[in-house]
Amino acid sequence: MEDEGTRGVRGTSADRVPGPAAPPPPSGLPRAEPPADPGASWGGQPSAGQPSPGWAPSGEPGAPQFGQPSAWTAPPPPLGPPPARPAAPPPPVEQPSAGAPPLDAWLRTPRPPQAPGVWRFGFTPRPPEQGEEVSDRSLLVGAVITLLSALLLWSLWRNGYLPYRLVPLKLFTPGEWWNPGTSGGPRTIEGSDALTVYEALLFGLLAYGCGRIGNFSELFRRHVVRRGQPFLALAAAVAAGLTQLLVWKETLPVVRPVLVLVAAVAGGEIYQSQTVVNIIYALIAAAVLYPFARLGRWRDLIAARRSGSTPATADDTPAPATATSADQWPELRAAGWTDAADTLTAEVRTGRMNDVDVARLRHAWTRATRSPDRLAPLAEAVLRTGGAAAPHPSGDRDLPRRTARHDVLTGQVRIGRCAEDPHNPYARRSTGIALDPTLLGTSLLAVGPPGSGKSARLVRPVVEALGLRALAGQAAVLAVGGAGAPVGPDEAFDVVVRVGNPASAHDLDLYGGTSDPDEAAAVLAEGLVGDVGSLDSRRAATVLAQLLGPYRTAHGHFPSVPELRELLDGTPAALTALRATLEAAGHHAMLRELEARTRQAGGPGDPAPALADRVALLDRPAFAGFFATGPDARPFALRSLGQYPLRVRVDLPERGHAEASRLLTRLLLAQFTAITAARTDTTLFVGLVLDDATHAVTAETVRGIRRLRSVNAGAVLTLRTVDDVPEPLHTPLLGAVGCTAAFSGITTWDGKRFAEAWGKEWVETREVAQHTVFADQPFTRALHALRKLVTGKAVTTDAVTVRQVEKERWSASELAYAVPAGHAVIRLTTVEGEHAPPLLVELGG
């Protein structure tokens, strides 16, 4: 729970998403105004800093529905007209379109389906993998040799040293144009003109062949295009000027062939007009200049200079926004609610909505379509309040601050990008890596030493993503960490429980909000002594049930911490008073339970003393007033997470009470797995984030983590080392979670466990043995010398051996020593079973 990885964190791009539609309300005012009718909202709720019994569910179980009254207690609506909805211009969208509002472009940006963990927002596939590039030396030497050969060939042609050079032309022209013989030249003016055009065609073919053979396009791309503007435009301008000079000097056969062709088509009389001649010359100059303008991208450079921005190169051109009508709310129009769709379209274009509003209203409409009676109230609320319809009970429409890049429509949060590393598949290199509920539903285990970035670069983004989905009505999140852990400010949560802090507005219910003594005993036993290998948690649960059941029957609630400690210690006064109360009320069944506990007390293997010692960790002056269970208690029931889109943070007293903090972490994990598994409505994703799960994992919680993916829930656990978990649970834990992350700085022992969990793959290995070739003949030596001059390498013969071998994806040594600082190797799996290989990820990239 340390503040790890917060120093030297790379900058993020959190301001690239549509911003909040309104500033946060001032303190002291209600955070959400209840709607006038059920269709406008879920209902109000108090803020995190104001205690209220409304945080515990008081109605039927299940998540509150959009378009229905909330089960939470809400303050009465204020008198007078509702306040006007303020609008603030949102920050620029991630990939804005020119001339389009930010939210418009954000909605229209494509999000194609991709492999697990790929950042889908504006995704563009990587170009196909190229073979091994030719070295610059070979490329330059080859181009020079090709150019010299072309010049030699053209010189031989022009000087008549090539035999039969006019035979193809004479086959297609009249014979009276030419002198007799295969080498005879033109006899008439028509023959001279045909020869001029013929030479121009041959020169064009020679130039094209020279360019292809000499690979001048690759030379131009590598040494000119890659330098970008304005070097590209300047180089093209210099080449255009040189070409124009050679054309008008008639070194290049361009002007005369054009004049001959124009005279053949339009007649020679056309040249009697100087104006026509000037126009032809201008067209020739423009035609010669046009290819260089395209190569140099002069138009883009001029447009960029006028707009005052830097022109984009070919490698960083953003993906254009699609021309779909996502911002027109087609789902509402298809259902016939055109007025509501027009209202939301206007809200989008005027900047009165943000990305969370869009996701919340889309989710509200999807849920409302399952019950047609909710459509009309929701549509009326949209017409009345626009983008503020169906708000979250807290009234928040965005988080106070984002430290990561989020795409609320897909639920993704970007945590980095794949590094350019041979371990990563070529198609995944340099692509963004993101987490979403389909991945978190398989749970995630992150291991790394303090300072490796687990909290700042993984835990905080995940908590933010789940918080945004909670504001959209699609998730609930419980973040557990030490006081001061970087999981988010108080304003980003609905409930903040500060264990051991007298100023905390909420208490923590040790029994998870259940009324069943057996269920409460099972979960409490797991939290108290689940990490003690010598104790059977089932026997401990039996002991607790023998005390909790009678006490609840006698008093109507479970015992507080001091009372529970006295009962486990077997204090005669506490047991006598409880027995008398049960006898007076006639609860004979519970009396038998209590008598059974009395007979078993002090026997061999009795877990009561160990339970009492663990309860004593919570019976300290620092926790006085906490964990109360009486009628005046105000605990937060963890069971509410499975029913409402809550954002809850629990601050543990790590400093000075490390054992108590670990006990509470273990208890919260056990309660979370038990509560989520017992849910009947699993439409709400529930996420638990433990900033430090040291000594919190037990055999029962490992089995509970396996069940989370089937009930639309997931847990994120971070460890400094795998040894923080009992050794018998190393393999079960790595097998229970679908997503694992090994941060830089882990030991080879931890790396070995990850390497075994990730398995092996078949790879093709090539063993090349090079043998130098020694030439005996002078001509062969000359050829070898020329080849060495061109390639820069001696002439060798290669003996290649290709084999298929099974190799670890990442070895223990590579995980311990080859992962750079600020990186992690992450393996991802979806709830459907689709998985991605372990990828080296640059966190924050």
Side-chain angles (χ1 to χ4, degrees), residues 470-507:
L471 292 178
Q474 303 174 32
V477 57
L478 172 63
V480 181
V487 295
D490 295 351
E491 296 79 10
F493 296 91
D494 303 313
V495 177
V496 178
V497 180
R498 299 182 177 89
V499 180
N501 189 342
S504 177
H506 297 86
D507 200 350

Side-chain angles (χ1 to χ4, degrees), residues 78 114 129 151 163 216 265 322 324 380 393 459 529 563 624 652 697-698 720 756 794 799:
Q114 293 297 324
E129 185 175 7
L151 292 176
F216 281 89
V265 174
T322 60
T324 59
E380 293 174 0
V459 171
V529 295
E563 294 169 336
L652 300 178
V697 179
T698 64
R720 296 181 180 90
E756 293 175 351

Side-chain angles (χ1 to χ4, degrees), residues 248 258-259 273-286:
W248 297 111
V258 171
L259 295 177
S273 173
Q274 185 63 35
T275 303
V276 174
V277 174
N278 294 337
I279 292 175
I280 295 175
Y281 286 164
L283 292 176
I284 294 174

Side-chain angles (χ1 to χ4, degrees), residues 77-89:
L79 300 178
R85 290 178 288 113

Side-chain angles (χ1 to χ4, degrees), residues 157-184:
W157 166 269
R158 292 295 299 268
N159 292 287
Y161 290 107
L162 295 181
Y164 310 106
R165 63 190 186 95
L166 298 180
V167 171
L169 180 60
K170 291 181 179 181
L171 291 177
F172 296 96
T173 54
E176 59 269 15
W177 289 3
W178 309 98
N179 293 319
T182 57
S183 301

Side-chain angles (χ1 to χ4, degrees), residues 421-424 742-756 758-761 763 807-821 823-826 838-841:
D421 188 87
H423 286 91
N424 294 337
F743 283 70
S744 61
I746 65 173
T747 62
T748 53
W749 290 272
D750 288 340
K752 180 181 179 181
R753 298 182 180 96
F754 280 106
E756 293 175 351
W758 292 338
K760 301 179 180 180
E761 62 179 344
V763 296
K807 180 183 177 182
E808 290 179 330
R809 300 177 186 272
W810 281 83
S811 67
S813 298
E814 288 175 330
L815 289 173
Y817 303 111
V819 179
H823 290 66
V825 181
I826 302 178
L839 302 172
L840 179 62
V841 178

